[in-house]
Amino acid sequence: MTNEKAPPKIFPFEVHDGFNVSITTPERVPCLVEGLLLEVGVSMLSAKPKYGKSSLARTLAVAVAERKTFLGFNIPAGGDVLYLNLEGPRGVLGQHLKKLGLSGENGRIHLTD
């Protein structure tokens, strides 16, 4: 018996053949916002300060909770939302959610701060 070690992996991640992925991928990938935001995964909203990121995120949160369209995009399922509030007083956030039409009758928006 020899003490040979297995050769090290070249990559710290799995490598897949692009053609095989293309032919095994489902026709429709589940989306939270059809054609814009995948149902599973990580997305990032970034821009310079005061460009409207928080307003856009709140509008998206209400659209998902209320099962409404978002900027003309369909939201097939909707549901609950977790909103991490790291800026400003909770009252300002509450006023904005109210103006956006959050009714509490469909999905819920759960807030952390």
Side-chain angles (χ1 to χ4, degrees):
M1 185 182 252
T2 63
N3 276 348
E4 290 184 31
K5 293 182 179 178
K9 289 186 177 182
I10 297 173
F11 298 110
F13 46 83
E14 288 186 38
V15 177
H16 300 276
D17 179 82
F19 177 73
N20 288 337
V21 171
S22 73
I23 62 173
T24 58
T25 300
E27 287 295 318
R28 186 183 166 281
V29 178
C31 290
L32 180 62
V33 178
E34 202 66 49
L36 185 66
L37 187 62
L38 295 177
E39 190 175 284
V40 175
V42 176
S43 298
M44 185 168 67
L45 178 61
S46 63
K48 292 181 181 181
K50 298 300 182 190
Y51 271 53
K53 298 178 298 292
S54 296
S55 296
L56 185 67
R58 292 174 189 160
T59 302
L60 173 60
V62 171
V64 169
E66 295 293 330
R67 295 167 179 85
K68 297 179 179 176
T69 61
F70 174 72
L71 303 176
F73 293 93
N74 290 327
I75 297 180
D80 290 350
V81 174
L82 175 62
Y83 185 90
L84 179 60
N85 184 37
L86 297 176
E87 59 186 16
R90 192 179 309 151
V92 172
L93 174 61
Q95 288 176 352
H96 194 204
L97 295 174
K98 188 175 187 177
K99 284 181 185 177
L100 290 169
L102 183 62
S103 70
E105 295 176 9
N106 298 302
R108 303 299 241 184
I109 297 180
H110 304 278
L111 305 173
T112 63
D113 51 11

